[in-house]
Amino acid sequence: MAGNSSAIVAGLTAAALAMVAFLGHQAASSASARPHAARAGTSPGAVRADRGADAPGGADGSGTLTAPPGDSGRGTRVVYALNTDRVWLVDKNDKVKRTFTVKPGTVDPEPGTYRVTSRSGKITGSDGVPVEHVVRFADSDGTVIGFSAAVDGSDPELDPKVRTGGVRATRADGRALWKFATIGRTVVVVR
């Protein structure tokens, strides 16, 4: 009888692993990513977050939040603009609840529409830094892409030779994103 139980457990484990592998392959196929390109005026591997008041979708100088990019869809969503390293949290009425800049890793997701696939309260990031409020939404050849905040508040130290998909926010912005971006929430990535 014990032999039959072991065979059943082994069979179920093999089936579960096969399903995880299949789902991972599907996610990788539908969420391709490109290496993060150095921004104009930066050295290779360096990342510039555009924090100016004239940045698209940023504060308009009066403290009022401006609209997210026009090509970012409608309804409740997280919008991530690659060219300005900015995120918007948008409610069902297309009202911006919060917008903030982020520091991307070395791998960007391709522009497109994704869903939040998993979350973790606290883990160690792919760069070895303890992070919190991790919200994952894409994968590229084994590099998981998601938002997080460093527990010590530090910016990522990027090595262009290492694939990292962590998109770092401040701790306060990370908390707001964590509350907003639950499993299944739409994430729209635009240039």
Side-chain angles (χ1 to χ4, degrees):
M1 192 70 134
N4 286 341
S5 295
S6 296
I8 291 171
V9 169
L12 289 172
T13 300
L17 289 173
M19 181 58 83
V20 168
F22 172 76
L23 292 173
H25 174 72
Q26 291 289 17
S29 297
S30 65
S32 63
R34 61 181 170 78
H36 187 73
R39 305 293 202 255
T42 63
S43 62
V47 177
R48 177 189 58 82
D50 190 344
R51 298 176 187 266
D54 59 345
D60 65 5
S62 66
T64 304
L65 301 179
T66 59
D71 57 348
S72 67
R74 310 278 307 156
T76 306
R77 65 201 183 279
V78 175
V79 178
Y80 175 30
L82 300 172
N83 289 338
T84 58
D85 298 327
R86 181 168 288 280
V87 171
W88 292 262
L89 307 181
V90 185
D91 72 10
K92 66 181 179 181
N93 298 314
D94 288 319
K95 180 179 178 192
V96 175
K97 304 303 284 178
R98 187 179 189 111
T99 185
F100 49 91
T101 56
V102 292
K103 303 279 185 157
T106 59
V107 177
D108 276 338
E110 286 293 325
T113 301
Y114 302 87
R115 298 271 181 202
V116 172
T117 56
S118 67
R119 298 166 17 118
S120 296
K122 286 189 179 179
I123 62 167
T124 299
S126 56
D127 60 356
V129 173
V131 294
E132 63 186 358
H133 301 124
V134 180
V135 176
R136 298 174 199 89
F137 62 93
D139 180 285
S140 173
D141 297 326
T143 301
V144 177
I145 301 171
F147 302 107
S148 64
V151 173
D152 67 3
S154 66
D155 286 338
E157 299 268 337
L158 299 180
D159 178 349
K161 297 176 196 139
V162 178
R163 292 175 57 90
T164 57
V167 180
R168 296 280 166 79
T170 66
R171 292 187 80 186
D173 292 332
R175 260 189 309 278
L177 184 61
W178 175 260
K179 289 178 183 175
F180 187 84
T182 55
I183 297 290
R185 174 74 70 215
T186 299
V187 178
V188 179
V189 178
V190 298
R191 291 254 182 243

